[in-house]
Amino acid sequence: MSTPRSAIVGYPVSFSRSPMLHGFWLKHYGLAGEYGRCEVAPDGAQAFFADFERHGLAGCNVTAPHKEAAFAALDEPDDTARALGAANTLWLQDGRLFGANTDVYGFLANLDDAAPGWDAMDAPALVFGAGGASRAIVYGLLQRGVGRVLLANRTKARAEQVAAQFNIAGAARVTPLSWDEGEARMGEARLLVNTTSLGMKGKPALELDLTALPGDAVVADLVYVPLETPLLKRARGRGLRAVDGLGMLLHQGVPGFERWFGVRPHVTRELRELLVEDLRAKGQLEA
Ligand code: ATR
């Protein structure tokens, strides 16, 4: 049998840490396998995923902006990919293209890891942002049984669209809010999640006054460059549990690695240190 190969597919992919992550696991488990990068321009995405077999890959990860194009090409999407209309993990099986959305799994597994007990709180989650990442997070929170999600966005109409997608059959578990309304309801939340691009290197900081958050609240950021975003710094300063986006990246890689290379890998301190060291070397630990 030939050596299984996988890759990260997106545009751009030069900054992706996925090759480092999967390379660590391949070496750690002593497996024959390769994990590379495939930069595919937006106008080439549809052709790339159609007839996927010709690339000689066992599967791939997919990052922005191709998660929707990847989903559209699937023969067998899993339930999560179908619910979100987006796939980030693909694999071939018997000539058919399977796909999953493991961002949801990665987000939840990271919270379980970094803030155990977070889901035992009978209180709303407050999510900022209403883009593709936000939909994955809202879906995951609802799947996990969080009773109510307050969804705040600069453009309230987008929050309303996301809420409408999830508030089916008369249930109103997602409450769309304007940005200001979200800030005003901070005191109700036990979990706050940033899914916007604010706080990313090169973008403005996410300026939220966290004073009203209860003392046992958890603050999570999907951003991991920098690792310590201004939001997380502020949360730690208040003594709150703060969960960074790097853990989500590490955990979302687990299901794909298992599909392509046959071993379910572990997210360990050693692995995280490798990635943190890379962020440090590039001056990306802090804003
Ligand atoms: P992704 O798919 O990665 O979530 P996206 O669809 O572009 O990316 O969504 C980006 C999110 O960041 C949106 O919620 C966006 O708010 P709008 O819907 O109002 O555009 C949010 N965002 C980006 N820049 C922002 C800013 N300066 N202030 C507030 N929100 C911002």
Side-chain angles (χ1 to χ4, degrees), residues 224-247:
Y224 69 90
V225 178
L227 187 61
E228 169 128 306
T229 61
L231 173 71
L232 295 180
K233 191 169 187 157
R234 196 173 280 195
R236 287 199 181 96
R238 250 217 64 195
L240 303 174
R241 284 188 289 174
V243 179
D244 63 52
L246 179 60

Side-chain angles (χ1 to χ4, degrees), residues 40-125:
V40 176
D43 61 2
Q46 195 190 352
F48 182 90
F49 294 113
D51 191 16
F52 186 80
E53 262 180 294
R54 78 197 135 95
H55 304 300
L57 295 166
C60 68
N61 279 131
V62 185
T63 188
H66 295 333
K67 292 181 188 182
E68 288 80 14
F71 169 76
L74 296 177
D75 300 309
E76 305 277 356
D78 78 350
D79 288 347
T80 310
R82 196 175 280 126
L84 299 171
N88 76 329
T89 303
L90 274 49
W91 66 97
L92 280 167
Q93 201 175 302
D94 304 324
R96 295 178 70 72
L97 189 58
F98 285 66
N101 191 309
T102 71
D103 289 332
V104 175
Y105 165 81
F107 173 69
L108 294 174
N110 184 39
L111 270 182
D112 289 341
D113 213 8
W118 69 272
D119 58 344
M121 307 167 183
D122 184 20

Side-chain angles (χ1 to χ4, degrees), residues 82-191:
R82 196 175 280 126
L84 299 171
N88 76 329
T89 303
L90 274 49
W91 66 97
L92 280 167
Q93 201 175 302
D94 304 324
R96 295 178 70 72
L97 189 58
F98 285 66
N101 191 309
T102 71
D103 289 332
V104 175
Y105 165 81
F107 173 69
L108 294 174
N110 184 39
L111 270 182
D112 289 341
D113 213 8
W118 69 272
D119 58 344
M121 307 167 183
D122 184 20
L126 174 57
V127 177
F128 283 88
S134 166
R135 290 194 304 124
I137 297 327
V138 172
Y139 178 81
L141 292 173
L142 296 178
Q143 286 287 101
R144 186 52 87 85
V146 171
R148 176 165 283 243
V149 176
L150 307 174
L151 182 63
N153 197 45
R154 175 179 63 180
T155 313
K156 187 174 176 179
R158 284 187 90 191
E160 285 165 351
Q161 283 167 13
V162 176
Q165 183 192 345
F166 293 113
N167 288 338
I168 37 178
R173 293 173 68 190
V174 183
T175 307
L177 301 170
S178 68
W179 193 273
D180 290 349
E181 289 167 340
E183 286 194 281
R185 296 187 65 172
M186 191 90 58
E188 294 173 42
R190 292 290 190 287
L191 172 68

